[in-house]
Amino acid sequence: MIDSMKRITIVTGHYGSGKTNFAVNLAVDLCRKGKSVVLVDLDIVNPYFRSADFKEQLTEMGIEMICPVYANTNLDIPALGADIYSVFNKDDGRYIIFDVGGDDAGAAALGRYSHLIQQEEFDMLYVVNCYRYLTRHPQEALEILREIETTARIPVTGIVNNSNLGSQTTIQDITNAMEYGAEVAALAGVPITANAVRRDLAASLTEKLVYPVDIYVLPPWEK
């Protein structure tokens, strides 16, 4: 998957889908391949599970981060700095990953840059998790996908099936969710881009498009 990524990759999905953890994994894997990477945190309202929480760690790895001005402060104001416009320089060789908030505010923030994003090739990946509230059925996941597309004014190009139950996930949980991911993709009319699977479980799977992920984002009760 990493070898076929476009210069701009947008990661979106509903709350609890695991989109931020997936976005961080993409950034880390690109960096390990020697690529210059920028991770843009567009989760501008939700103070939980945002990629800005990992800024120090990712910066030490060599990943550049662009975050809301007041991220990780006592203020929760949806303000973005002018430095975000630097990512639309097609000629500087950087790979750009957008981590987009799972609500209307996040999609609206992305929509501010839709005209710039669509001037070049991009992927917008919609992360789904059938074990999360409001996306347990493919039709529910599709409805949220369409809402994000409409607000962001950018089409989804692929589905990432990230169905898991956190630290309790088993191989059977993952295989049971494969059909769900395929059905969401069929309803949306786009391909499955990846089945994201916790790294220690991924080696046991023979299904295609398995993308091993490390767990960077943990709920408070698992920290």
Side-chain angles (χ1 to χ4, degrees):
M1 175 181 175
I2 293 297
D3 293 332
S4 62
M5 284 180 64
K6 297 183 173 69
R7 196 183 80 84
I8 291 179
T9 301
I10 302 158
V11 181
T12 188
H14 194 49
Y15 293 123
S17 63
K19 63 178 182 55
T20 291
N21 194 72
F22 182 73
V24 170
N25 271 270
L26 290 181
V28 170
D29 287 348
L30 278 170
C31 186
R32 285 174 176 164
K33 281 188 167 287
K35 307 299 184 183
S36 180
V37 185
V38 183
L39 179 57
V40 181
D41 181 0
L42 277 185
D43 206 345
I44 62 172
V45 173
N46 181 23
Y48 304 106
F49 310 128
R50 56 177 25 154
S51 51
D53 296 338
F54 311 98
K55 183 173 183 178
E56 183 176 350
Q57 179 182 359
L58 295 177
T59 300
E60 288 177 356
M61 293 181 184
I63 297 168
E64 182 182 349
M65 287 211 63
I66 296 177
C67 306
V69 175
Y70 299 103
N72 296 329
T73 73
N74 291 328
L75 297 174
D76 202 15
I77 301 171
L80 292 161
D83 53 346
I84 191 172
Y85 288 98
S86 70
V87 305
F88 299 110
N89 180 359
K90 303 176 187 178
D91 302 322
D92 66 5
R94 296 183 297 173
Y95 283 80
I96 315 302
I97 298 170
F98 287 91
D99 175 20
V100 180
D103 59 6
D104 287 347
L110 180 65
R112 291 168 56 184
Y113 311 103
S114 62
H115 63 294
L116 297 170
I117 290 169
Q118 295 192 69
Q119 287 179 11
E120 58 180 295
E121 289 189 345
F122 68 91
D123 273 317
M124 182 149 112
L125 305 181
Y126 180 65
V127 180
V128 295
N129 185 342
C130 70
Y131 300 115
R132 293 298 184 263
Y133 180 61
L134 292 181
T135 57
R136 290 175 181 163
H137 302 287
Q139 189 62 43
E140 291 178 321
L142 179 69
E143 289 172 5
I144 294 171
L145 180 156
R146 295 303 187 209
E147 290 171 2
I148 291 171
E149 286 183 321
T150 299
T151 304
R153 302 190 298 280
I154 299 175
V156 165
T157 62
I159 302 297
V160 174
N161 182 14
N162 188 48
S163 296
N164 70 89
L165 289 165
S167 61
Q168 305 302 312
T169 307
T170 66
I171 291 292
Q172 193 62 51
D173 294 326
I174 294 168
T175 55
N176 286 347
M178 291 290 183
E179 184 178 348
Y180 163 88
E183 188 171 346
V184 175
L187 288 171
V190 297
I192 285 275
T193 300
N195 290 292
V197 179
R198 204 174 69 212
R199 191 173 298 277
D200 60 312
L201 299 176
S204 302
L205 293 168
T206 58
E207 285 83 354
K208 294 180 180 179
L209 302 175
V210 169
Y211 178 59
V213 296
D214 295 307
I215 306 302
Y216 295 96
V217 182
L218 289 170
W221 57 88
E222 290 188 12
K223 290 183 180 179

